[in-house]
Amino acid sequence: MLRQRLIYVSGALALMCALPALAGKPSHSPTPPEFTDATVHDPSVIPTDGQYYVFGSHLAAAKTRDWMNWERFAEGANPENPLFEDVHTELADTFAWAETDTLWAADVIQLEDGRYYMYYNASRGDSPRSAMGIAVSDAIEGPYENQGIFLRSGMWGEASEDGTIYDARIHPNVVDPDAFYDEQGKLWMVYGSYSGGLFIFEMDPETGFPLPGQGYGKHLMGGNHSRIEAPYMLYSPDTEYYYLFTSFGGLAADGGYNIRVARSRTPDGPFFDAQGNNMADVKSDPALPLFDDASIEPYGVKIMGNHLFTRELGEVGTGLGTGYKSPGHNSAYYDAETGRYYLIFHSRFPGTGELHEIRTHEFFFNEDGWPVVAPYRYADNTAERNGGGKAMKVRRPDVVGDYKFIRLSKTITGDMDESEYVSLTNNGRIQGAAEGRWWFAGNNRIDLEIDGEGYSGVLSHQWNPTAERYDVTFSAASETGLTVWGSHMPTRDADELIQAVLDDINFSNNLLLDDILLPTEAARGSQITWVSSAPEWLAADGSVTRPAHGEGDKAVTLTATVSYQGQSQSRSYGFTVRQQTPNGLLAHYSFDSNLSDSTGQAAAGQVSGGLIDTAGGEIGYMTGVQGDAALFDGASGVRLPDGLISTNEYTVSYWLNPSELTAFTTTFFGAASNASWVSVLPVGHGFANGNTMVWSGQAWYDAVTGLTIPGDAWSHLAFTVNEGALNVYVDGVLRFAGENFPDLFTGQNGIFSLGVNWWDVPYQGLMDELKVYEQALSAEQIYDLYSE
């Protein structure tokens, strides 16, 4: 399982300099590739003018020359988007039919007349009420001129495009188009999402519209609302197959989105998976609940899904490791000049909520003619290749050794398939988390038998972004459509590994208010045991018992012993277990002519400039709700003590009297990093209709209160967090209640401020009676704070 509450941080970057030279590949010092990432959901690729463009949902578009550095140049159905002169006016009929202003995955193709044809589509999202049309431009970056709608769906109780009454179980949701030419020069479009499944019809190459008389076209896959969508077609001249890429599952971070493929000798099918299943028969069981995944899970060759190459303690690099959450809605590209294949998709990432970005991976075809995707994102490894763009040869001795090993399961779930350890021995054995045999087949080919199942795969050198080196990897697919990946690890002796583990255990906060998670396993399966000098306060399992208020804080030493291959070494770490606070109150800033904490437990606030980490600024004082209040001049803030909140249960309460109300301006701000934060906004962003809200930047959590507090008047704001449960109160009344709020501060030495953050216009107005608690107060207690 992915660790959810780590209280130690990595010091492994220092190891890269401190450790002896690592055995294995590459033989030269690699130059780290540079990446510039961009956000485009559902990217559909088109090469032109020496660049590669992707168009996606929400009228977003980006371009690249090298698959690594992306520049987004369009985003949002708004007047500023260069793809249309006025998208809302030009596509008014589309938005009216779909009952939305949301545009879904666009596809752009250049037809024989040299012009660019954009297949746009809009959909409500909560039903198959959708419309699809064409817009045309002489330039790839627009502006595009609308040619009109040619396909509709979701006409409940009415005749559909094929003349029969629309039935969402058998008729498509007309979104997610992909237009393509086949090898005979015919123009086709494949499309569809959920509902009745995926369909294909032939297009008029002169107009770009469907040829008449086809209705919705020919059914290829899915039905009964099965969660199958985002078709994309690619022909391979190497295998002479048409490959139909699709996404199964849900696109959210917990939706289990994953990419699967089937193939056919003809563009309109039928398409079969590795087990010989006709994908036209793959659909949800109508007797089971809506969006049943169990019916479709066994089918298709799964080539990409939730996974994590876990970085264990003692391994080079930082963070959790490298992996994806809900990767999907891909396009694919064959470079005829180099003979290389690329998979382009969007993905979310472990621990970052709904943040998504474009990713490109190279893929290959195994001996059975199925695509196997490189386990790491594409990096220009020209130095790792021979001439002609072909992959550098992998020799058999390069393959022998230890690997991080991932099996992509076919289960559609939000859980991740995490790496395990296996060894490929010189005598052809596979040992460790998987058992079996392997054979070096030459020409960068590898065959494996893993737990009784055969796999055909490809070896390649790939850039490992966690370890920052090129590693030998293998990607292989089985006859049942399962994919396995391996990433070679350098050789390390026991003493070296133990030292690396001990060096990597670093605690970000040694002042304890809550239980901590102590690691018990590390790199290569090494074991960690713990001994406490005062188990009555801090036990060897990390549980904390805090002294009563007045007993004082308690100093405790924990000693870790790391054991591996019969050797062991120890190291000690000091902690302070904090005494209990009176009534759970961590700090009370009354602002009575100063920035001191009246409880004496926390440090005084410090005046900052207009950003959280700038000097200067000035805080004044005026009459407040009780005594004085702090006066913020719109160019200043207050930096509160670091680590003020350090658990996943807390309450923040204060009074606010803004003289200016500006969007995004923060009043209370807390951050573990510039990507992981919470902010209380008197005026929220556009999607919140300007309402007062609590906003988080890790999972993009929007806690909207449904009202906007007034200017030049006092309002009481409070929010409580209790292990992911978030409540937001205005003037003592609960205005928002939600779950799954991110754990921002456990094990972090967080940064806290009033009135300023790193980006936005500072707060202008009064603030009074800030109280921070180490517990989630009840609704009655919040009302009491307001009533005071």
Side-chain angles (χ1 to χ4, degrees), residues 387-443:
K390 298 300 182 181
M392 175 180 172
K393 296 295 184 182
V394 178
R395 303 168 302 153
R396 188 183 190 282
D398 299 337
V399 183
V400 175
D402 296 337
Y403 285 78
K404 285 185 178 292
F405 173 73
I406 286 180
R407 318 179 205 220
L408 289 181
S409 69
K410 281 199 171 182
T411 305
I412 300 174
T413 174
D415 295 336
M416 288 192 297
D417 295 317
E418 296 193 28
S419 60
E420 304 171 285
Y421 294 113
V422 300
S423 296
L424 273 59
T425 68
N426 191 47
N427 65 357
R429 297 287 182 181
I430 300 174
Q431 299 175 340
E435 298 288 334
R437 296 189 61 83
W438 68 277
W439 297 267
F440 181 71
N443 196 28

Side-chain angles (χ1 to χ4, degrees), residues 675-732:
S676 179
W677 43 263
V678 61
S679 185
V680 183
L681 310 181
V683 179
H685 54 63
F687 290 114
N689 296 317
N691 289 166
T692 301
M693 66 184 298
V694 174
W695 190 27
S696 172
Q698 182 181 44
W700 297 112
Y701 197 106
D702 297 337
V704 183
T705 62
L707 57 82
T708 304
I709 64 171
D712 298 316
W714 284 104
S715 299
H716 182 259
L717 300 181
F719 70 97
T720 68
V721 175
N722 188 358
E723 300 293 334
L726 172 69
N727 290 336
V728 183
Y729 301 83
V730 179
D731 290 338

Side-chain angles (χ1 to χ4, degrees), residues 491-663:
T491 302
R492 303 172 77 177
D493 62 34
D495 181 69
E496 178 184 66
L497 184 139
I498 290 171
Q499 286 293 331
V501 172
L502 290 170
D503 290 343
D504 208 10
I505 300 174
N506 289 285
F507 293 90
S508 58
N509 193 343
N510 295 70
L511 183 64
L512 302 183
L513 289 80
D514 201 358
D515 295 348
I516 58 176
L517 178 63
L518 298 175
T520 57
E521 294 184 358
R524 315 276 177 136
S526 56
Q527 301 295 305
I528 309 173
T529 57
W530 296 86
V531 175
S532 172
S533 65
E536 66 272 24
W537 308 122
L538 174 57
D541 64 358
S543 58
V544 170
T545 303
R546 292 172 61 185
H549 182 67
E551 291 187 26
D553 298 341
K554 303 297 182 181
V556 183
T557 298
L558 283 180
T559 300
T561 300
V562 179
S563 302
Y564 181 66
Q565 292 184 345
Q567 299 187 38
S568 62
Q569 296 182 43
S570 301
R571 189 173 298 178
S572 295
Y573 306 85
F575 297 88
T576 299
V577 179
R578 189 168 181 176
Q579 66 177 333
Q580 298 177 41
T581 59
N583 302 316
L585 185 62
L586 287 170
H588 176 197
Y589 295 91
S590 59
F591 304 120
D592 289 334
S593 300
N594 61 62
L595 299 177
S596 298
D597 165 33
S598 62
T599 73
Q601 300 176 107
Q606 302 295 319
V607 179
S608 74
L611 298 176
I612 197 170
D613 52 3
T614 59
E618 183 177 354
I619 296 294
Y621 301 93
M622 292 181 62
T623 301
V625 176
Q626 294 183 18
D628 291 336
L631 174 62
F632 293 75
D633 61 6
S636 308
V638 173
R639 178 76 176 263
L640 298 173
D642 293 352
L644 179 62
I645 300 171
S646 60
T647 66
N648 199 22
E649 183 178 358
Y650 52 92
T651 297
V652 178
S653 163
Y654 57 105
W655 288 87
L656 209 59
N657 187 339
S659 57
E660 295 287 342
L661 289 169
T662 54

Side-chain angles (χ1 to χ4, degrees), residues 463-482:
W463 177 256
N464 181 335
T466 300
E468 294 192 332
R469 62 174 181 252
Y470 287 103
D471 284 334
V472 169
T473 67
F474 63 78
S475 310
S478 75
E479 293 180 353
T480 60
L482 294 173

Side-chain angles (χ1 to χ4, degrees), residues 5-29:
R5 296 189 63 190
L6 295 177
I7 51 76
Y8 52 87
V9 296
S10 169
L13 281 178
L15 294 177
M16 297 179 68
C17 297
L19 290 177
L22 301 176
K25 280 56 64 182
S27 58
H28 61 278
S29 298

Side-chain angles (χ1 to χ4, degrees), residues 76-123:
N78 56 64
E80 290 74 35
N81 195 308
L83 296 177
F84 285 88
E85 294 287 357
D86 185 346
V87 65
H88 283 287
T89 299
E90 294 185 56
L91 302 189
D93 290 347
T94 302
F95 293 135
W97 173 266
E99 300 173 350
T100 182
D101 61 358
T102 299
L103 289 168
W104 282 24
D107 181 64
V108 176
I109 187 172
Q110 188 175 26
L111 298 187
E112 293 177 358
D113 62 4
R115 306 179 75 195
Y116 297 93
Y117 289 69
M118 174 189 288
Y119 293 94
Y120 61 80
N121 53 109
S123 178

